[in-house]
Amino acid sequence: MLIGNVGKEPDVRYYDADQAVVTFPLATTERGYKLPNGTQVPDRTDWHNIVLWRGLAKVAEKYIHKGDKLYIEGKMQYRTYNDQKGQSRFIAEVIGESLELLSAKVQTNSAETTQNTTETTDDNPF
């Protein structure tokens, strides 16, 4: 479970008969505090790679933007790949299974609204 802010616009890709996958970074921050001896511990921000598939990807494409605050539930996935120089790289990703938009809603004149945009999915592409 993560609560954080979207770091950049989601990257949307389509594959196999209109199926989508979305990736974006999510920043979570642990607030700083003061120790009993007076030492100040600064804020600590961690970045997470978020991956959403199928229905959640389409929700993300439509409603999620840079700076939005999100609540995401999912599972960790670890993988390795070779970069352009042939070096092996390790990546950790959160495969989102449900999400909730926590940002203030923007008023629009259209019939569409982002209120209560929560979707869960049980299907896994792997």
Side-chain angles (χ1 to χ4, degrees), residues 6 21 38 40 43 52 57 62 74 78 96-98 109 120-122:
V6 177
V21 61
Q40 183 67 34
D43 289 355
L52 303 174
K62 196 170 191 178
Y78 306 96
E97 295 173 346
S98 69
N109 293 331
T120 61
T121 181
D122 290 305

Side-chain angles (χ1 to χ4, degrees), residues 9 16 25 34 40 62 76 97 115:
E9 288 296 316
D16 289 344
K34 188 180 265 188
Q40 183 67 34
K62 196 170 191 178
M76 292 298 301
E97 295 173 346
Q115 292 180 1

Side-chain angles (χ1 to χ4, degrees), residues 11-125:
D11 178 30
V12 182
R13 285 174 274 147
Y14 281 88
Y15 66 97
D16 289 344
D18 198 37
Q19 296 299 312
V21 61
V22 169
T23 58
F24 59 89
L26 186 77
T28 58
T29 301
E30 182 179 337
R31 295 291 170 211
Y33 53 93
K34 188 180 265 188
L35 295 173
N37 67 4
T39 304
Q40 183 67 34
V41 176
D43 289 355
R44 181 179 144 199
T45 300
D46 290 314
W47 288 91
H48 311 275
N49 298 310
I50 307 297
V51 179
L52 303 174
W53 293 91
R54 297 181 180 87
L56 280 179
K58 291 182 180 185
V59 168
E61 177 182 25
K62 196 170 191 178
Y63 297 111
I64 295 176
H65 302 285
K66 180 180 178 179
D68 286 348
K69 182 169 259 198
L70 299 179
Y71 169 80
I72 293 185
E73 288 186 23
K75 59 185 175 187
M76 292 298 301
Q77 175 178 288
Y78 306 96
R79 62 185 174 94
T80 59
Y81 67 96
N82 292 324
D83 65 10
Q84 293 176 345
K85 295 180 181 178
Q87 293 185 355
S88 182
R89 299 287 180 184
F90 175 82
I91 189 166
E93 300 169 318
V94 175
I95 307 301
E97 295 173 346
S98 69
L99 69 89
E100 187 171 336
L101 301 172
L102 301 177
S103 295
K105 309 302 184 261
V106 177
Q107 290 293 90
T108 64
N109 293 331
S110 70
E112 282 185 53
T113 180
T114 61
Q115 292 180 1
N116 299 325
T117 304
T118 302
E119 184 174 328
T120 61
T121 181
D122 290 305
D123 54 355
N124 185 350

